[in-house]
């Protein structure tokens, strides 16, 4: 496999009996169940069901030939094989112990209707689509197979497409671009606002019409979208309609294509991949990247262009040969499936992030791109390492990249807070602001960048300074985004400054509260006293500001044998009692200063007297 | 009583330069006033040499620091082995009722002169000399005594001309740094900006940022920062204030016609300067010690001003300052520095607005020996360029003298110290030392109870120094 390709096909394609075996063989792919069903017509029709997702054994059925099959599907639980031979009815066959039971038929209710197709919308729900409307039925298998009608809608249908993920059925009502979206609910059908797709009227091209080939309905960034492919040569763009919260489709994005001709569309990691058959190349669009806007609609150029996808097919006997993905035989299915019906292969597309990270030169765009992809964390960290450890980027760029990382990080943190109160889980309306799949947290940067940076520090001064600069830049970015900085970053910063003998700089940072106060940091500063004496003062200030560290302050003062100051401090905070007497006296003795010893004793004598007096008066009364 | 202080002389000598009685003038390296009679010069030097020798009998380890006579105070600083810097000051009372007996005879009040002030001045000047010119011993050994004489003359004459030593008071003892009060976000912007300069221009070794006369960030160590800061305050800021179009019209401006947002500050006075393209726009050369304080390295100090901020860049000597570098620096810095400076301005104004200053009769000076930060109740506005002149502190000379006394007392007392003194005009002067911080307070209030004085001081401390550990 060529590792430099941004788009790759999986190494282990699913093989099925191809249509090219004989003229009587037909191959069907069911997007809902992900099954390839091969039908060899003959005296005894052989049906082979190959699963593309689950590694299941092929199912093979043999039935008597009752005419050509125009559509064949399994029910969602794989218990019923359904097929359509005529425009009048759908044939259902129960599967028991791997054999087909005798068929029963489901006829279209509308008189004279021509059946266009059927869809399993639920485990026991089947939808019939005819030119006169749609009908929803429930298939009950208890006690005996029974089909119950539940709902129908009467309207003219040219053709339809269906998205199982959002249970959305899009019906073409005429060839002028009028569509009726239907939301299929269990036992019910919900009619949504009609969708009008504007054709290129201005150019006045005759015979312009939208067919199934021009429409792709798929989910990109968790929201259902309709992609309208160019209907004429002149319009070289894909128009995207997005389902909004009001359950209507609105024109939202325009993808500017780089080539004309026949297209195949796939979606990989929420990226829209356009394959141009004519130029044998592919473009990648990301509708979450920033783009120029025209009349509130964003216009996109491909972020990756002129990619070519190679695929190698293992030959019998060891060798490989490269075949054309862009040939007209190949068909794409959503989201990321390419089928070569002639050779009998089903591939899944995937994105090679490592290759992409070498192609996108602008680091900020690259980081934005990567953060939107799932499983991109390692690559993102590698990019950062490359930028910082190999010193491929200057500080400005690094700072910008940190900002991009931390904006997402902040959103993620906010999201986390909001999510503590559970929101109603509407599966379709996911107009979620947080789409980033990967969040690079402080610990990630610390572990994968900073620790490595410190480790590989050469002894040159410039290098050490560079480390401090990057740390400061990261802290700057975090502070800018109002993210609480974790302790280990400060610790590393302080250590780096100490290694560089940049004590005065450390002092200035503490002074300006760039290092946020905490007890552990105060202790760290205390430990630096022997190297930089003002660290003691900084540590005491820090403890003082915390306002919860009275005992620590006393400990610090006593460690300096400052008996009187600590005693004053303790009396201010009501900390003087019998338990501290011994300790204070011992330290006072160790100072070998009779004045201090006297003062210490006197303090306690007076306290004891007053407390005894109180006791006495209490008992007397 | 008003006192008139005059500097009688200031001289630097090295006794080893004179071999016998006849070449006594050789040991003199610098003498002010220049036109003093040659014999008097030698006599004065010889006199102090004798004092030094005499004092050595009592304590060989600590040299004599001052000599007080009825008419003058002499302060001695043994800067380097065998090198002595001596200043002689005298004080005359300007009392209205002149003594009737001898109307022409001035009444001396040498008791009003305080050694710590002049010792601090001598030390500070010497260290500045070290930074701008070099080590005396080394200069003499590397060249000859005449070269050292020339350098000392250049340096000390200029300093004596520009500053009135006699007017130095309590405030001059600290040579403290006024830090700009900023929140951490803005301060991080400033740091990030300076880091980017150092990262982008490898020639720039250190950077420092000032806003008006306050320090924002320094990449130098504490000691260097103090010297460079006072150098800029002394030689750069007054020049800018005097003539804001300092550079306009000269050849730097012609070479860099695009200096729209900011501009370079050149032609700053320095003993050693560096010029680029045949003497246009001199920049000072400063010698900075490295980490272990042993060896010195020279750097060109390139300063760039935009809005109210000055960024100081220390460029390594091996990197020439070309018109190209100036141009790229100008393009890089201009807008960025201006924007940063505006952010700082807003931040400073915000903090000033948030601090409601209740008019207190108390005035204070705060100095932290640990980071050399200095603060006082008068000089709070960072909007105008001001210098650390004590006149602004506006205290009576008496009070200032008491403060000097307190401070020299405190330096002997560790770790905590507190004193309250009632002055002759019923005011209170207080000093506190705690956690290496010194605070001096003058209460222009006629309080009778010590308790009231204490509570006034406490409330002041609580208001001003809540964020530091300063117990009482």
């Amino acid at each position: 496999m060529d590792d430099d390709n941004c788009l790759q096909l999986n190494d282990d394609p699913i093989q099925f009996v191809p249509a090219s075996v004989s003229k009587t063989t037909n191959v069907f792919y069911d997007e809902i169940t992900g099954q390839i069903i091969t039908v060899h017509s003959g005296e005894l029709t052989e049906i082979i069901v190959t699963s593309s997702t689950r590694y299941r054994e092929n199912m093979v059925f043999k039935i008597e030939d009752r005419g050509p099959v125009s559509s064949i599907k399994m029910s969602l639980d794989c218990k019923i094989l359904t097929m359509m031979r005529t425009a009048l009815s759908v044939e259902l066959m129960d599967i028991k112990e791997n054999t087909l039971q005798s068929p029963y038929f489901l006829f279209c209710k509308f008189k004279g209707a021509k059946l266009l197709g059927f869809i399993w919308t639920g485990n026991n729900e089947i939808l019939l689509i005819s030119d006169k409307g749609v009908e929803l039925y429930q298939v009950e298998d208890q006690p005996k197979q029974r089909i119950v009608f539940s709902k129908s809608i009467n309207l003219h249908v040219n053709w339809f497409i269906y998205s199982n993920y959002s249970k959305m059925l899009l019906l073409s009502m005429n060839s002028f671009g009028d569509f009726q979206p239907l939301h299929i609910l269990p036992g019910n059908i919900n009619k949504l606002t009609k969708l009008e797709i504007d054709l290129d009227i201005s150019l006045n091209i005759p015979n312009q019409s939208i067919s199934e080939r021009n429409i792709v309905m798929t989910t990109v960034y968790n929201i259902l979208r309709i992609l309208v492919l160019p209907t004429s040569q002149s319009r070289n763009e894909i128009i995207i309609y997005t389902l909004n919260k009001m359950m209507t489709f609105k024109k939202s994005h325009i993808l500017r294509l780089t080539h004309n001709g026949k297209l195949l569309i796939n979606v990989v990691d929420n990226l829209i991949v356009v394959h141009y058959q004519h130029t044998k190349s592919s473009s990648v669009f990301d509708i979450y990247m920033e783009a120029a806007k025209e009349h509130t609609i964003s216009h996109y150029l491909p972020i990756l262009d002129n990619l070519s996808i190679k695929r190698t097919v293992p030959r019998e006997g060891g060798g490989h040969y490269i075949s054309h993905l862009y040939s007209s035989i190949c068909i794409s299915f959503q989201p990321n499936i390419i089928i070569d019906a002639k050779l009998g292969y089903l591939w899944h597309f995937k994105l090679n992030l490592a290759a992409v990270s070498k192609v996108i030169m602008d680091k900020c765009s690259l980081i934005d791109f990567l953060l939107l992809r799932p499983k991109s964390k390692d690559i993102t960290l590698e990019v950062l390492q490359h930028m910082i450890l190999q010193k491929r980027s200057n500080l400005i760029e690094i700072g910008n990249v940190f900002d991009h990382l931390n904006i997402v990080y902040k959103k993620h943190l906010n999201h986390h807070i909001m999510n503590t109160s559970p929101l109603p889980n509407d599966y379709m309306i996911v107009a979620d602001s947080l789409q980033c799949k990967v969040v690079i947290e402080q610990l990630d940067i610390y572990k994968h960048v900073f620790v490595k940076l410190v480790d590989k520090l050469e002894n040159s001064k410039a290098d050490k300074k560079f480390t401090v600069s990057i740390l400061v830049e990261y802290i700057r970015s975090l502070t800018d985004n109002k993210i609480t900085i974790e302790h280990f970053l400060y610790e590393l910063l302080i250590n780096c400054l100490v290694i560089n003998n940049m004590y005065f700089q450390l002092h200035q940072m503490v002074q300006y509260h760039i290092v946020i106060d905490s007890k552990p940091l105060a202790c760290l500063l205390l430990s630096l006293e022997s190297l930089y004496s003002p660290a003691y003062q900084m540590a005491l200030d820090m403890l003082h500001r915390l306002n919860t560290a009275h005992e620590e302050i006393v400990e610090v003062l006593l460690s300096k044998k400052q008996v009187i100051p600590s005693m004053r401090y303790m009396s201010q905070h009501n900390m003087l009692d019998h338990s501290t007497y011994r300790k204070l006296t011992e330290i006072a003795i160790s100072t070998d200063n009779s004045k201090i010893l006297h003062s210490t004793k006197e303090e306690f004598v007076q306290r004891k007297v007053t407390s005894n007096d109180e006791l006495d008066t209490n008992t007397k009364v | 009583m008003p006192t008139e202080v005059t500097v009688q002389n200031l001289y630097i000598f090295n006794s080893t330069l004179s071999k016998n009685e006849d070449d006594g003038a050789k040991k003199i390296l610098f003498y002010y006033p220049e036109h003093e009679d040659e014999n008097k010069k030698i006599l004065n030097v010889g006199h102090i040499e004798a004092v030094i020798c005499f004092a050595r009998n009592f304590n060989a380890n600590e040299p004599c620091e001052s000599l007080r006579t009825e008419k003058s105070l002499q302060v001695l600083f043994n800067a380097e082995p065998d090198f002595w810097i001596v200043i002689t000051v005298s004080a005359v009372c300007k009392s209205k009722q002149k003594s009737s007996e001898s109307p022409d005879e001035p009444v001396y009040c040498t008791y009003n002169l305080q050694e710590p002030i002049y010792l601090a001045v001598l030390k500070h000047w010497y260290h500045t000399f070290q930074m701008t010119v070099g080590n005396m011993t080394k200069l003499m050994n590397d060249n000859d005594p005449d070269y050292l004489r020339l350098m000392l003359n250049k340096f000390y004459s200029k300093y004596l001309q520009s500053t009135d030593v006699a007017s130095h008071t309590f405030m001059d003892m600290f040579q403290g740094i006024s830090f700009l009060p900023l929140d951490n976000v803005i301060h991080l912007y400033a740091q990030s900006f300076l880091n980017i300069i150092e990262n982008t221009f490898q020639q720039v070794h250190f950077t420092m940022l000032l806003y008006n006369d306050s320090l924002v960030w320094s990449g130098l160590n504490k000691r260097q920062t103090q010297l460079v800061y006072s150098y800029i305050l002394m030689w750069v800021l007054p020049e800018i204030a005097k003539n804001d179009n300092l550079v306009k019209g000269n050849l730097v401006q012609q070479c860099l016609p695009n200096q729209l947002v900011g501009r370079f500050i050149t032609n700053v006075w320095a003993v050693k300067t560096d010029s680029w393209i045949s003497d246009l726009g001199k920049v000072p050369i400063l010698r900075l010690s490295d980490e272990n304080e042993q060896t010195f390295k020279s750097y060109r100090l390139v300063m760039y001003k935009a809005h109210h901020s000055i960024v100081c860049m220390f460029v390594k000597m091996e990197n020439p300052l070309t018109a190209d570098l100036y141009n790229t620096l100008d393009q890089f810095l201009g807008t960025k520095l201006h924007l940063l400076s505006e952010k700082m301005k807003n931040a400073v104004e915000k903090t000033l607005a948030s601090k409601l200053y209740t008019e207190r009769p108390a005035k204070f000076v705060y100095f932290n020996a640990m980071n050399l930060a200095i603060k006082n109740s008068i000089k709070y506005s960072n909007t105008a360029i001001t210098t650390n002149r004590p006149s602004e502190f506006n205290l009576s000379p008496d009070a200032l003298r008491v403060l000097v006394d307190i401070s020299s007392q405190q330096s002997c007392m560790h770790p905590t110290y507190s004193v309250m003194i009632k002055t002759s005009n019923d005011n209170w002067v207080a000093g506190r030392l705690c956690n290496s911080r010194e605070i001096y307070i003058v209460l222009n209030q006629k309080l009778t109870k010590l308790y009231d004085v204490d509570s006034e001081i406490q409330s002041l401390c609580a208001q001003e120094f809540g964020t530091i550990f300063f117990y009482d």
Side-chain angles (χ1 to χ4, degrees):
Chain A
M1 186 59 81
D2 195 347
D3 287 333
D4 291 339
N5 276 357
C6 294
L7 290 172
Q8 291 178 341
L9 299 173
N10 61 334
D11 292 334
D12 47 347
I14 287 151
Q15 247 183 306
F16 55 88
V17 183
S20 57
V21 170
S22 72
K23 278 181 186 169
T24 53
T25 304
N26 281 312
V27 179
F28 300 89
Y29 175 71
D30 183 5
E31 281 184 89
I32 299 169
T33 54
Q35 285 163 333
I36 303 154
I37 303 176
T38 315
V39 181
H40 299 287
S41 312
E43 275 181 40
L44 205 65
T45 302
E46 190 185 33
I47 297 163
I48 306 162
V49 181
T50 316
S51 171
S52 69
T53 47
R54 283 152 275 161
Y55 286 90
R56 265 198 198 174
E57 293 240 332
N58 285 359
M59 287 187 275
V60 181
F61 308 107
K62 288 199 168 94
I63 52 163
E64 282 173 39
D65 182 27
R66 283 193 299 263
V69 177
S70 59
S71 174
I72 182 163
K73 280 169 189 176
M74 293 277 263
S75 67
L76 300 186
D77 53 6
C78 293
K79 280 182 177 161
I80 305 167
L81 183 72
T82 337
M83 61 175 86
M84 201 173 99
R85 293 175 199 267
T86 64
L88 295 170
S89 65
V90 172
E91 207 172 313
L92 293 91
M93 281 167 279
D94 288 344
I95 301 163
K96 275 189 187 146
E97 288 150 8
N98 274 337
T99 51
L100 292 176
Q101 307 294 304
S102 54
Y104 49 101
F105 293 88
L106 175 59
F107 288 94
C108 207
K109 213 165 69 80
F110 298 115
K111 282 228 170 96
K114 207 177 112 205
L115 206 55
L116 298 170
F118 64 94
I119 300 161
W120 282 97
T121 56
N123 262 341
N124 54 356
E125 281 193 320
I126 189 163
L127 187 75
L128 298 191
I129 302 111
S130 64
D131 58 354
K132 296 234 168 98
V134 294
E135 299 154 41
L136 187 66
Y137 294 92
Q138 298 213 327
V139 181
E140 294 176 2
D141 58 354
Q142 293 292 331
K144 209 184 162 231
Q145 280 301 352
R146 207 156 60 88
I147 298 173
V148 181
F149 168 79
S150 49
K151 175 98 185 181
S152 75
I153 287 174
N154 192 346
L155 78 174
H156 178 74
V157 180
N158 267 349
W159 47 266
F160 67 93
I161 47 173
Y162 177 70
S163 162
N164 186 51
Y165 177 78
S166 44
K167 306 273 183 228
M168 187 68 76
L169 182 71
L170 190 69
L171 303 172
S172 165
M173 297 162 74
N174 51 41
S175 57
F176 316 118
D178 291 329
F179 289 88
Q180 175 62 59
L182 297 177
H183 189 197
I184 315 295
L185 302 165
N188 203 356
I189 301 172
N190 201 356
K191 225 170 161 177
L192 304 184
T193 319
K194 271 184 196 164
L195 166 70
E196 282 177 36
I197 292 171
D198 39 329
L199 299 171
D200 253 342
I201 311 155
S202 58
L203 291 158
N204 216 0
I205 297 162
N207 300 328
Q208 234 196 130
S209 67
I210 296 179
S211 70
E212 293 130 286
R213 286 196 211 91
N214 296 114
I215 301 286
V216 173
M217 188 158 64
T218 186
T219 305
V220 183
Y221 287 114
N222 289 338
I223 303 171
L224 186 69
R225 299 172 205 265
I226 294 170
L227 280 64
V228 183
L229 308 190
T231 48
S232 65
Q233 288 282 325
S234 58
R235 181 143 88 180
N236 209 12
E237 55 193 23
I238 292 176
I239 302 161
I240 299 177
Y241 291 80
T242 300
L243 188 66
N244 65 15
K245 283 184 183 168
M246 307 299 290
M247 295 296 264
T248 47
F249 285 96
K250 280 274 181 303
K251 197 183 200 176
S252 56
H253 309 79
I254 287 177
L255 310 182
R256 293 253 169 88
L257 300 176
T258 46
H259 298 290
N260 280 319
K262 205 186 161 202
L263 308 172
L264 289 182
I265 304 289
N266 275 126
V267 175
V268 180
D269 292 350
N270 293 319
L271 294 169
I272 298 168
V273 184
V274 179
H275 310 288
Y276 307 102
Q277 280 189 346
H278 181 61
T279 56
K280 299 196 191 326
S281 66
S282 304
S283 299
V284 176
F285 293 87
D286 186 352
I287 55 166
Y288 266 47
M289 299 291 267
E290 279 175 28
K293 279 196 174 181
E294 267 175 46
H295 309 292
T296 71
I297 293 165
S298 306
H299 288 244
Y300 291 85
L301 289 171
I303 48 162
L304 297 169
D305 202 4
N306 277 327
L307 304 174
S308 83
I309 302 153
K310 289 196 190 91
R311 53 166 204 183
T312 49
V313 178
R315 263 180 171 174
E316 280 174 49
H320 288 76
Y321 81 95
I322 296 164
S323 76
H324 291 298
L325 166 85
Y326 299 98
S327 72
S328 54
I329 299 137
C330 287
I331 318 155
S332 70
F333 287 97
Q334 301 315 316
N336 62 337
I337 289 159
I338 287 267
I339 289 177
D340 186 331
K342 197 175 159 194
L343 289 171
Y345 282 103
L346 181 147
W347 284 276
H348 286 96
F349 249 120
K350 59 184 182 185
L351 192 66
N352 182 2
L353 288 172
V356 173
S357 69
K358 283 173 198 146
V359 174
I360 302 180
M361 294 323 285
D362 179 58
K363 296 294 180 210
C364 291
S365 314
L366 174 61
I367 292 294
D368 284 349
F369 177 87
L370 288 176
L371 292 180
L372 285 165
R373 310 281 81 83
K375 293 180 209 141
S376 67
K377 195 163 185 167
D378 292 342
I379 299 284
T380 311
L381 290 169
E382 264 174 42
V383 170
L384 287 173
Q385 284 174 0
H386 184 75
M387 286 175 69
I388 294 165
L389 298 180
Q390 321 282 336
K391 292 204 198 159
R392 293 299 161 91
S393 297
N394 61 31
L395 205 53
I396 300 175
E397 196 173 36
I398 293 171
N400 288 339
V401 164
F402 283 152
D403 285 341
H404 281 248
L405 290 176
N406 288 330
I407 287 166
V408 173
Y409 183 27
K410 179 65 186 175
K411 273 188 194 162
H412 167 78
L413 292 174
N414 284 349
H415 194 73
H416 219 70
I417 297 161
M418 270 159 41
N419 264 14
T420 46
S421 55
L423 293 163
N425 191 13
D426 198 328
Y427 65 91
M428 186 148 59
I429 305 153
V430 203
D432 195 338
S433 63
L434 187 87
Q435 291 295 347
C436 283
K437 307 282 181 194
V438 169
V439 174
I440 305 291
E441 291 176 283
Q442 293 174 50
L443 191 64
D444 301 318
I445 299 272
Y446 174 79
K447 267 210 278 205
H448 296 277
V449 179
F450 290 134
V451 170
K452 285 187 179 163
L453 190 63
V454 174
D455 275 351
K456 76 175 272 288
L457 265 192
E458 290 160 44
N459 233 6
S460 79
K461 194 164 168 131
D463 263 15
K464 292 179 186 166
K465 233 176 164 175
F466 185 63
T467 312
V468 174
S469 304
I470 288 174
L471 259 166
V472 169
E473 198 59 34
Y474 188 56
I475 291 172
R476 198 265 315 142
S477 179
L478 290 170
T479 314
D480 245 7
N481 285 295
K482 299 187 175 62
I483 298 166
T484 314
I485 296 163
E486 297 200 43
H487 169 251
F488 49 77
L489 282 179
Y490 288 134
E491 206 168 276
L492 189 71
L493 176 68
I494 292 174
N495 286 335
C496 280
L497 290 168
V498 169
I499 294 169
N500 287 353
N501 281 325
M502 289 164 77
Y503 295 110
F504 193 50
Q505 284 67 42
L506 167 64
H507 205 138
Q508 291 175 66
M509 287 190 195
V510 176
Q511 195 181 326
Y512 281 104
H513 305 292
I514 282 155
V515 176
I516 303 298
D517 305 330
S518 70
K519 274 185 200 176
L521 283 181
C523 293
L524 179 64
L525 286 173
L526 272 178
S527 71
L528 292 174
E529 198 199 344
S530 57
L531 293 164
Y532 181 67
S533 51
Y536 171 75
Q537 189 194 52
M538 294 192 273
L540 266 187
D541 290 346
M542 202 177 261
L543 289 172
H544 170 74
R545 282 192 295 268
L546 287 171
N547 215 10
T548 52
H550 303 313
E551 284 185 20
E552 284 84 351
I553 288 177
V554 172
E555 281 302 314
V556 170
L557 290 174
L558 286 179
S559 73
K560 292 266 166 192
K561 300 201 173 175
Q562 295 189 19
V563 182
I564 307 294
S566 49
M567 220 152 57
R568 287 166 67 106
Y569 185 83
M570 287 163 90
S571 78
Q572 231 175 43
H573 294 92
N574 296 324
M575 290 163 75
L576 282 177
D577 52 36
H578 296 282
S579 61
T580 52
Y581 171 69
R582 196 186 163 83
K583 193 173 181 182
L584 282 169
T585 322
E586 269 173 12
I587 294 167
I589 290 165
S590 75
T591 58
D592 244 350
N593 186 327
S594 54
K595 256 192 200 166
I596 291 175
L597 184 59
H598 176 77
S599 307
T600 314
K601 281 188 173 158
E602 201 56 34
E603 174 78 27
F604 278 95
V605 167
Q606 282 191 9
R607 278 184 183 265
K608 255 182 205 160
V609 167
T610 48
S611 60
N612 284 345
D613 277 356
E614 272 172 23
L615 268 177
D616 287 348
T617 45
N618 281 344
T619 43
K620 272 174 200 166
V621 171
Chain B
M1 255 188 296
T3 319
E4 195 185 315
V5 183
T6 47
V7 178
Q8 294 202 322
N9 54 43
L10 188 152
Y11 50 88
I12 301 164
F13 68 90
N14 183 338
S15 306
T16 59
L17 289 172
S18 149
K19 297 282 179 285
N20 51 51
E21 293 269 320
D22 305 328
D23 59 356
K26 275 191 181 171
K27 61 185 147 195
I28 302 171
L29 293 164
F30 172 78
Y31 199 100
Y32 166 89
E34 207 184 333
H35 304 297
E36 186 96 77
D37 176 54
E38 201 66 22
N39 283 330
K40 191 157 184 216
K41 285 185 188 174
I42 299 167
L43 205 71
N44 279 339
V45 173
H47 177 232
I48 217 75
E49 275 185 288
V51 172
I52 294 162
C53 284
F54 175 69
R56 207 172 276 155
N57 292 329
F58 303 98
N59 185 346
N61 299 324
E62 284 175 64
C64 169
E65 276 190 348
S66 70
L67 175 69
R68 224 173 242 281
T69 60
E70 194 205 343
K71 291 182 184 176
S72 67
L73 168 73
Q74 286 190 290
V75 178
L76 294 68
F77 174 49
N78 188 9
E80 285 168 41
D82 299 319
F83 284 94
W84 289 83
I85 306 172
V86 181
I87 190 169
T88 312
V89 278
S90 69
V92 180
C93 290
K94 287 192 290 183
S95 57
K96 275 161 196 163
Q97 337 116 309
K98 289 235 168 168
S99 74
S100 48
E101 294 150 40
S102 47
D104 293 336
E105 190 71 15
V107 181
Y108 291 100
C109 44
T110 321
Y111 50 84
N112 278 343
L113 298 169
Q114 291 166 303
E115 292 94 337
I117 295 172
Y118 303 103
L119 193 62
V121 171
L122 289 187
K123 280 185 179 170
H124 182 68
W125 285 10
Y126 167 69
H127 288 128
T128 312
F129 178 80
Q130 234 186 357
M131 177 180 77
T132 52
V133 189
N135 190 288
M136 288 196 279
T137 318
K138 199 167 181 313
L139 281 170
M140 198 170 75
N141 293 342
D142 288 356
N143 303 280
D144 53 60
D146 281 334
Y147 178 74
L148 177 60
R149 279 190 191 101
L150 183 75
M151 289 294 141
L152 286 171
N153 194 40
K154 265 190 175 178
F155 180 85
Y156 279 90
S157 305
K158 186 78 180 178
Y159 263 79
L160 282 162
Q161 241 174 57
S162 320
T163 48
D164 181 13
V165 181
S167 70
H168 278 223
T169 55
F170 173 67
M171 288 294 284
D172 295 281
M173 287 169 55
F174 300 109
Q175 291 301 334
I177 298 167
S178 150
F179 285 94
L180 191 70
L182 281 181
D183 58 12
N184 57 349
V185 178
I186 307 286
H187 198 262
L188 278 166
Y189 287 154
Q191 275 191 50
S192 163
F193 170 67
L194 296 175
N195 286 338
I196 285 169
I197 296 175
E198 288 179 32
N199 183 254
T200 315
F201 298 92
Q202 294 296 320
Q203 300 95 328
V204 178
H205 214 72
F206 300 108
T207 46
M208 193 163 147
L209 183 66
L210 281 96
Y211 179 85
N212 282 337
D213 60 344
S214 297
L215 185 72
V216 179
W217 172 260
S218 165
L220 305 173
N221 70 30
K222 187 164 76 176
R223 189 91 192 90
Q224 293 164 348
T225 306
Q226 184 183 30
L227 290 171
V228 174
Y229 176 76
S230 74
Y231 180 85
I232 289 171
L233 247 54
M234 172 117 184
W235 297 112
V236 181
L237 296 184
E239 281 297 303
I240 295 173
K242 228 191 287 168
N243 176 13
D244 210 29
N245 299 322
L246 189 70
V247 197
K248 267 197 189 132
N250 78 8
L251 284 159
V252 186
Q253 191 68 12
Q254 287 171 24
C255 291
L256 303 168
N258 301 327
Q259 293 191 91
L260 294 171
V261 188
R263 57 191 179 80
F264 289 98
I265 301 164
T266 52
N267 290 336
V268 174
W269 178 81
V271 179
K272 280 190 169 177
T273 54
D274 186 57
S275 57
W276 57 287
I277 326 175
S278 64
D279 210 35
L280 327 168
K282 288 176 187 159
V283 297
I285 292 180
L286 299 183
R287 298 166 72 258
L288 302 175
S289 58
D290 64 1
E291 285 163 24
N292 40 33
E293 309 249 337
Q294 291 303 309
T295 52
F296 285 85
K297 260 191 169 177
S298 294
Y299 295 91
R300 295 184 177 93
L301 172 58
V302 178
M303 284 170 283
Y304 186 83
K305 183 178 192 270
H307 198 241
H308 294 306
S309 301
I310 298 174
V311 57
C312 304
M313 290 161 281
F314 295 84
V315 180
K316 286 181 238 175
M317 286 306 275
E318 56 264 34
N319 301 113
L321 296 177
T322 57
D324 229 27
L325 177 64
Y326 271 88
N327 263 322
T328 43
L329 271 173
D330 179 50
Q331 273 162 28
F332 186 85
L333 295 173
T335 331
K336 289 195 183 79
L337 183 59
H338 192 90
L339 289 174
L340 175 68
S341 189
E342 275 180 347
K343 273 185 199 150
M344 293 197 288
K345 182 171 177 256
N346 293 338
V348 169
E349 278 169 3
K350 224 161 68 187
T351 45
L352 280 179
S354 69
K355 266 195 183 176
L356 272 174
Y357 274 104
T358 43
E359 263 308 311
R360 278 178 182 278
K363 291 182 173 131
F364 72 89
V365 177
Y366 158 89
F367 178 69
N368 182 359
M370 291 287 130
N371 64 355
L372 303 171
I374 197 156
K375 250 188 186 181
N376 69 50
S377 52
I378 305 298
K379 201 177 97 34
Y380 238 119
S381 68
N382 281 289
T383 45
I385 292 166
T386 50
T387 49
N388 266 339
R389 293 287 82 208
S391 57
E392 288 160 51
F393 197 58
N394 212 10
L395 288 178
S396 71
D398 280 335
L400 286 169
R401 275 196 287 275
V402 175
L403 288 175
V404 175
D405 287 336
I406 296 173
S407 120
S408 43
Q409 280 271 311
Q410 285 191 350
S411 58
C412 317
M413 301 287 288
H414 274 291
T416 49
Y417 181 77
S418 175
V419 66
M420 286 178 269
I421 292 163
K422 193 175 185 180
T423 60
S424 51
N425 55 353
D426 274 354
N427 284 346
W428 287 87
V429 177
R432 287 195 178 190
L433 172 76
C434 166
N435 197 10
S436 308
R437 288 181 169 105
E438 296 159 49
I439 172 161
Y440 304 93
I441 298 156
V442 176
L443 292 171
N444 287 322
Q445 253 176 322
K446 303 222 183 306
L447 295 167
T448 42
K449 276 189 255 169
L450 204 56
Y451 176 80
D452 293 339
V453 179
D454 188 57
S455 60
E456 184 64 36
I457 292 168
Q458 274 196 23
S459 74
L460 179 91
C461 288
Q463 186 194 323
E464 294 290 331
F465 310 112
T467 60
I468 57 169
F469 183 69
F470 197 86
Y471 52 86
D472 39 29

